[in-house]
Amino acid sequence: HPSTIVIDAGLSLDFLIDIKWLYPSFQSGRNHRPYLVRIMVDDDKHAKFEAQQSQGVMVRQAIFYALFSTLIADCYASKAEVLNHVSLWSHIVHTLYFALHIPSSPAQTRILHGPSLTGAHALFAAYCWTLAVNPSMEFDLAPEGRAVWLVYARAAFLHATPVIFHWVDIALNKKLLCDAYAGYGQGLLFQFWSMLGYFAIALTWEQVNGDAAATYNVTAVTPETFVLVSKALAVIGCVGSFFAIIKPSLCKA
């Protein structure tokens, strides 16, 4: 009877078996007994992995519907005037990213994930700076009669929750994101896009909008200072989140 080797495949069935290792007689020419390989899959681990994937998909869907519904509501309430703000441009990027089904859209995931994640952190940093130089900014921009709680809730949802959404997304869908990044994560051009793609979007918004300081009623500092500090914080947010989150977690191969 052949000897039996039991291999615990764990969660992954995608591995190769070297036939020369299984059949040493092919290698040495001596009369060795062949091995019978039996693959043992831990059903509990596999079921747990499948459940986590399903949970990740459902959470992404919930995030998408939350982003999409608030985008439509915000555009309707302001008669699309909110599209003059970089926050809404960022919101559109997040909505497009979370609309993706990662396993069937790896290329689109690679294009949108980096700018969305780094952009969430960059926008949050720049938003804090804007509030520092104009604490009443949200009330200056809000339509007349909007409830105070709604002003605060909208501000938090647009500027803070995308950061949390991305942390949750990586926690639940890290393997899927790694698969999407596979073969591209070490490319310098790809890393550059993932790190600074959002900054390019923000610069495009600046060219379209024209005067960021006037848009946000900033008078405590000069327009030049406001724009310069905003850009510096945006770059720090993009680069910092890339090296702290994306590169160590996803850019492995």
Side-chain angles (χ1 to χ4, degrees):
H1 299 287
S3 299
T4 300
I5 298 175
V6 178
I7 299 176
D8 184 356
L11 295 179
S12 176
L13 298 178
D14 301 326
F15 60 91
L16 299 175
I17 301 173
D18 186 347
I19 194 170
K20 290 184 179 180
W21 177 72
L22 296 179
Y23 297 90
S25 56
F26 287 3
Q27 212 167 14
S28 66
R30 290 177 292 181
N31 186 23
H32 289 290
R33 292 179 301 173
Y35 296 98
L36 174 64
V37 177
R38 188 172 66 210
I39 300 172
M40 306 293 293
V41 179
D42 189 325
D43 291 337
D44 289 339
K45 288 182 181 178
H46 187 68
K48 195 176 294 183
F49 175 69
E50 292 291 334
Q52 185 181 25
Q53 275 199 320
S54 299
Q55 183 184 23
V57 170
M58 288 190 294
V59 169
R60 282 182 60 86
Q61 288 178 339
I63 292 173
F64 164 71
Y65 287 127
L67 290 169
F68 182 71
S69 59
T70 52
L71 175 63
I72 297 301
D74 221 29
C75 289
Y76 176 79
S78 68
K79 298 180 180 178
E81 289 183 6
V82 290
L83 295 177
N84 295 326
H85 303 299
V86 69
S87 301
L88 266 293
W89 283 44
S90 305
H91 198 76
I92 292 171
V93 174
H94 302 323
T95 303
L96 292 174
Y97 166 66
F98 281 101
L100 297 174
H101 179 249
I102 299 174
S104 61
S105 308
Q108 294 90 329
T109 299
R110 289 191 297 271
I111 292 171
L112 290 173
H113 178 254
S116 181
L117 184 148
T118 59
H121 292 80
L123 181 67
F124 181 73
Y127 178 72
C128 290
W129 160 243
T130 306
L131 284 182
V133 293
N134 182 10
S136 64
M137 176 194 67
E138 289 293 347
F139 294 95
D140 292 343
L141 300 177
E144 187 177 352
R146 177 171 287 180
V148 172
W149 71 266
L150 184 56
V151 172
Y152 285 122
R154 176 184 176 275
F157 187 81
L158 286 179
H159 304 100
T161 55
V163 175
I164 298 171
F165 288 161
H166 274 289
W167 290 351
V168 172
D169 185 42
I170 284 193
L172 295 179
N173 297 299
K174 183 176 179 180
K175 185 182 183 303
L176 296 179
L177 288 168
C178 285
D179 291 344
Y181 272 65
Y184 296 87
Q186 293 298 319
L188 294 180
L189 184 61
F190 174 71
Q191 290 190 12
F192 183 80
W193 169 254
S194 297
M195 182 167 35
L196 293 174
Y198 175 80
F199 191 66
I201 295 171
L203 289 178
T204 303
W205 169 82
E206 183 184 25
Q207 294 303 312
V208 172
N209 180 72
D211 190 347
T215 299
Y216 299 112
N217 299 328
V218 173
T219 57
V221 296
T222 65
E224 293 78 13
T225 300
F226 173 70
V227 170
L228 183 62
V229 175
S230 297
K231 288 180 178 179
L233 290 173
V235 170
I236 292 171
C238 286
V239 174
S241 57
F242 174 80
F243 281 103
I245 302 173
I246 296 178
K247 189 172 177 61
S249 301
L250 306 178
C251 297
K252 297 179 179 180

